Amino acid sequence: MESMLYNTDAIVVRNLTYGETHAIVNLLTPTGLVAAMARGAKKPQSRLAASIQLCAQGKYSIYQNTGMGTLQQAEVTNSRRGLREHLFLAAYASYFCELVLAVAADRPDGSEGLYRTFETVLDRLTNLPDEALTTRILWEVKVLMQVGASPQWTKCIHCGHEDNTLVAYSPSEGGLLCESCFATKSEHSIVTPAKLPNVLENLRKVPAQRIGSIRLSEEVTKAAALVLRMQLQEYGGIHLKSQKFLDDLESDNLLEEFLSTEKTPVSSDRVSKASKVSKRGVQEKCDDKN
Ligand SMILES: [Zn+2]
């Protein structure tokens, strides 16, 4: 490969300390993943220090010779500092990053769509911290699509019957079942709430940038989380340490305590935050309450 310097938009999805003062960063760019050495970035006064932080986004200049590139300079346009300052948000952010590392292609074979979706879910996490759980659900639905492991959630995985009255999840077939198929295969299936098919299908079909606030009942949230985890593991082949950590946090109810203290009592503030997320398009309703 010819040596060259190139500039790219990028988001930091992993950083590792290398030696005493260097770091290796993995960046997601609109054309895929790339790794780069950030020399001296761990020194206290390094001009690269801000640009190697997890979830930081900006313009990165990389010198590419043979082997790993070198990060020459970077202009951070969105540091997403808030995501690193709280245990829960940091846990979500690091899980989201691990997922994208597991499924994105290397540069130049990556997809700009995935880059935009990832940027959007990180912004949601920052702007709507009390919707962290539903943002996780949204991101997992999109990741399943990326790896070709997403069924059409309103179509029976066994007989192909299409409606929104599917009643159970079949781990052995990787999708939802209609009532009559469930009757013959109930042993190994998990009963799911009536609203789950439409919720998952909306999240699958609508671009993340166009999805506003997501309000789901606790029942639907739990079912979606369970179904998506099984689908990611069995059909996406994805097993992540950070996922386990996050599951533990969520099941300890610590998350709910955190969320209840973070919730802002002023509803207009909520609305403005939500519209900030969806400013690039029409807000879609993913509400399962009606
Ligand atoms: Zn069926």
Side-chain angles (χ1 to χ4, degrees):
M1 183 194 282
E2 248 179 272
S3 59
M4 63 164 191
L5 181 69
Y6 65 92
N7 301 314
T8 178
D9 289 333
I11 302 171
V12 177
V13 293
R14 179 163 64 188
N15 62 35
L16 296 169
T17 302
Y18 182 78
E20 296 277 304
T21 58
H22 311 308
I24 294 171
V25 284
N26 293 78
L27 303 170
L28 180 72
T29 77
T31 54
L33 291 167
V34 66
M37 175 76 75
R39 297 195 174 278
K42 292 280 179 178
K43 286 182 190 159
Q45 298 306 322
S46 170
R47 64 194 164 79
L48 292 177
S51 59
I52 62 165
Q53 301 298 318
L54 201 65
C55 298
Q57 181 173 10
K59 304 269 182 206
Y60 286 69
S61 301
I62 297 166
Y63 179 76
Q64 185 71 57
N65 204 332
T66 51
M68 189 185 294
T70 306
L71 181 59
Q72 297 290 81
Q73 64 178 67
E75 183 198 338
V76 174
T77 52
N78 189 348
S79 79
R80 297 200 176 89
R81 217 173 119 199
L83 293 187
R84 297 184 295 274
E85 286 178 345
H86 194 284
L87 174 67
F88 292 101
L89 295 182
Y92 277 98
S94 106
Y95 171 60
F96 287 11
C97 287
E98 268 199 61
L99 266 184
V100 87
L101 261 169
V103 303
D106 287 336
R107 199 173 173 276
D109 301 320
S111 113
E112 173 151 16
L114 184 68
Y115 179 81
R116 297 295 161 209
T117 301
F118 185 61
E119 163 188 71
T120 302
V121 294
L122 291 182
D123 284 343
R124 284 188 73 92
L125 203 52
T126 312
N127 298 330
L128 302 170
D130 56 342
E131 290 193 13
L133 235 165
T134 47
T135 298
R136 171 185 177 170
I137 288 168
L138 167 65
W139 179 226
E140 289 177 339
V141 166
K142 299 301 189 191
V143 165
L144 277 175
M145 291 171 70
Q146 175 69 21
V147 296
S150 177
Q152 184 184 323
W153 296 105
T154 46
K155 194 171 175 178
C156 175
I157 194 72
H158 190 69
C159 72
H161 178 64
E162 194 173 339
D163 67 10
N164 54 14
T165 60
L166 306 179
V167 295
Y169 173 70
S170 165
S172 62
E173 297 194 56
L176 299 176
L177 295 173
C178 70
E179 229 165 321
S180 47
C181 290
F182 174 61
T184 64
K185 304 171 66 67
S186 57
E187 245 178 86
H188 303 291
S189 306
I190 297 159
V191 175
T192 49
K195 284 165 181 167
L196 187 70
N198 268 343
V199 166
L200 291 179
E201 187 59 13
N202 279 336
L203 294 178
R204 187 180 76 89
K205 279 195 308 204
V206 180
Q209 296 89 324
R210 291 178 53 204
I211 296 176
S213 182
I214 306 172
R215 287 288 176 195
L216 303 177
S217 67
E218 196 184 338
E219 189 195 18
V220 169
T221 303
K222 282 188 171 159
L226 178 66
V227 164
L228 291 168
R229 181 172 59 229
M230 296 177 89
Q231 191 76 8
L232 278 169
Q233 291 182 351
E234 294 306 314
Y235 298 89
I238 295 170
H239 303 261
L240 301 174
K241 273 182 294 177
S242 55
Q243 181 180 36
K244 175 77 176 64
F245 178 63
L246 203 49
D247 288 344
D248 290 346
L249 282 182
E250 284 171 354
S251 65
D252 283 348
N253 288 328
L254 292 169
L255 179 68
E256 277 163 40
E257 281 169 38
F258 159 64
L259 296 181
S260 62
T261 57
E262 285 287 302
K263 264 193 189 123
T264 160
V266 187
S267 60
S268 61
D269 185 37
R270 247 205 88 77
V271 171
S272 70
K273 280 181 181 173
S275 61
K276 203 160 145 196
V277 168
S278 60
K279 68 184 172 193
R280 269 169 291 188
V282 182
Q283 181 164 335
E284 292 286 334
K285 289 223 159 49
C286 282
D287 194 330
D288 72 327
K289 290 216 166 70
N290 49 51

Coordinates of all heavy atoms in Angstrom, one line a residue, residues 120 123-124 127-128 207-213 270-284:
T120 N -26.2 8.0 16.0 CA -27.5 8.4 16.5 C -27.8 7.7 17.9 O -28.3 8.4 18.8 CB -28.6 8.0 15.5 OG1 -28.4 8.6 14.3 CG2 -30.0 8.3 16.0
D123 N -25.9 9.5 20.5 CA -26.6 10.8 20.9 C -27.8 10.6 21.7 O -28.1 11.3 22.6 CB -26.9 11.6 19.6 CG -25.7 12.2 18.9 OD1 -24.7 12.3 19.6 OD2 -25.8 12.5 17.8
R124 N -28.6 9.5 21.4 CA -29.8 9.2 22.2 C -29.3 8.9 23.7 O -30.0 9.4 24.6 CB -30.4 7.9 21.7 CG -31.3 8.1 20.5 CD -32.0 6.8 20.2 NE -33.1 6.6 21.2 CZ -34.3 7.0 21.0 NH1 -34.6 7.5 19.8 NH2 -35.2 6.9 21.9
N127 N -28.5 12.3 25.3 CA -29.6 13.2 25.4 C -30.8 12.7 26.2 O -31.6 13.4 26.7 CB -30.0 13.7 24.1 CG -28.9 14.5 23.3 OD1 -28.1 15.1 24.0 ND2 -28.9 14.4 22.0
L128 N -31.0 11.3 26.1 CA -32.1 10.7 26.8 C -31.6 9.6 27.7 O -31.9 8.4 27.5 CB -33.1 10.1 25.7 CG -33.6 11.0 24.6 CD1 -34.3 10.2 23.5 CD2 -34.6 12.0 25.3
P207 N -35.6 4.2 10.2 CA -34.2 4.6 10.4 C -34.1 5.2 11.8 O -35.0 6.0 12.3 CB -33.9 5.7 9.4 CG -34.9 5.4 8.3 CD -36.1 4.8 9.0
A208 N -33.0 4.9 12.5 CA -32.8 5.4 13.9 C -32.9 6.9 14.0 O -33.4 7.4 15.0 CB -31.5 4.9 14.4
Q209 N -32.5 7.6 13.0 CA -32.5 9.0 13.0 C -33.9 9.6 13.1 O -34.1 10.8 13.4 CB -31.8 9.6 11.7 CG -30.3 9.3 11.6 CD -30.0 8.0 10.9 OE1 -30.8 7.0 11.1 NE2 -29.0 7.9 10.2
R210 N -34.9 8.8 12.6 CA -36.2 9.3 12.6 C -37.1 8.8 13.8 O -38.3 9.1 13.9 CB -36.9 8.8 11.3 CG -36.3 9.5 10.1 CD -37.0 9.0 8.8 NE -38.4 9.1 8.9 CZ -39.3 8.4 8.1 NH1 -38.8 7.4 7.3 NH2 -40.6 8.5 8.2
I211 N -36.4 8.1 14.7 CA -37.2 7.7 15.9 C -37.0 8.6 17.1 O -35.9 8.9 17.4 CB -36.7 6.2 16.3 CG1 -37.0 5.3 15.1 CG2 -37.3 5.8 17.6 CD1 -36.5 3.9 15.3
G212 N -38.1 9.1 17.6 CA -38.0 10.0 18.7 C -38.0 9.2 20.0 O -37.5 8.2 20.1
S213 N -38.7 9.8 21.0 CA -38.8 9.2 22.3 C -39.5 7.8 22.2 O -40.5 7.7 21.4 CB -39.6 10.1 23.2 OG -39.7 9.5 24.5
R270 N -37.9 17.5 28.8 CA -38.0 16.2 28.1 C -38.3 16.3 26.7 O -37.6 15.7 25.8 CB -39.1 15.4 28.8 CG -38.6 14.3 29.6 CD -39.7 13.2 29.6 NE -39.6 12.3 28.5 CZ -38.7 11.4 28.4 NH1 -37.9 11.2 29.4 NH2 -38.6 10.6 27.4
V271 N -39.3 17.1 26.4 CA -39.7 17.2 25.0 C -38.6 17.8 24.1 O -38.3 17.3 23.0 CB -41.0 18.1 24.9 CG1 -41.3 18.3 23.4 CG2 -42.2 17.3 25.6
S272 N -38.0 18.8 24.7 CA -36.9 19.5 23.9 C -35.8 18.5 23.6 O -35.2 18.5 22.6 CB -36.5 20.8 24.5 OG -35.7 20.5 25.7
K273 N -35.5 17.7 24.7 CA -34.4 16.8 24.5 C -34.8 15.7 23.4 O -34.0 15.4 22.6 CB -34.1 16.0 25.8 CG -33.2 16.8 26.7 CD -33.0 16.0 28.0 CE -32.1 16.7 29.0 NZ -32.1 15.9 30.2
A274 N -36.0 15.3 23.5 CA -36.5 14.3 22.5 C -36.4 14.9 21.1 O -36.0 14.2 20.2 CB -37.9 13.8 22.9
S275 N -36.9 16.1 20.9 CA -36.9 16.6 19.6 C -35.5 16.9 19.1 O -35.3 16.9 17.9 CB -37.8 17.9 19.6 OG -37.2 18.9 20.4
K276 N -34.6 17.1 20.0 CA -33.2 17.3 19.5 C -32.7 16.0 18.9 O -32.0 16.0 17.8 CB -32.3 17.5 20.8 CG -31.0 18.3 20.5 CD -30.6 18.9 21.8 CE -29.1 18.9 22.0 NZ -28.7 19.1 23.3
V277 N -33.1 14.9 19.4 CA -32.7 13.6 18.9 C -33.3 13.4 17.5 O -32.6 12.9 16.6 CB -33.1 12.4 19.8 CG1 -32.9 11.1 19.1 CG2 -32.2 12.4 21.0
S278 N -34.5 13.8 17.3 CA -35.2 13.5 16.1 C -35.3 14.7 15.1 O -36.1 14.7 14.2 CB -36.6 13.0 16.4 OG -37.3 14.0 17.1
K279 N -34.4 15.7 15.3 CA -34.5 16.9 14.6 C -34.3 16.6 13.1 O -34.7 17.4 12.3 CB -33.5 17.9 15.1 CG -32.1 17.6 14.8 CD -31.1 18.6 15.4 CE -29.7 18.1 15.3 NZ -28.8 18.8 16.1
R280 N -33.6 15.5 12.7 CA -33.3 15.3 11.3 C -34.5 14.7 10.5 O -34.4 14.5 9.4 CB -32.1 14.4 11.1 CG -30.9 15.3 11.1 CD -29.7 14.4 11.2 NE -29.6 13.8 12.5 CZ -28.5 13.2 12.9 NH1 -27.5 12.9 12.1 NH2 -28.5 12.7 14.2
G281 N -35.6 14.5 11.2 CA -36.7 13.9 10.5 C -38.0 13.9 11.3 O -38.1 14.4 12.4
V282 N -39.0 13.3 10.7 CA -40.3 13.2 11.4 C -40.2 12.3 12.5 O -39.6 11.2 12.5 CB -41.3 12.6 10.4 CG1 -42.7 12.6 11.0 CG2 -41.3 13.5 9.1
Q283 N -40.7 12.7 13.6 CA -40.7 11.8 14.8 C -41.7 10.6 14.6 O -42.8 10.8 14.2 CB -41.1 12.6 16.1 CG -41.1 11.7 17.3 CD -41.0 12.6 18.6 OE1 -40.6 13.7 18.5 NE2 -41.5 12.0 19.6
E284 N -41.2 9.4 14.8 CA -42.1 8.3 14.6 C -42.6 7.8 16.0 O -41.9 7.9 17.0 CB -41.3 7.1 14.0 CG -40.8 7.4 12.6 CD -42.0 7.3 11.6 OE1 -42.9 6.6 11.9 OE2 -41.9 7.9 10.6

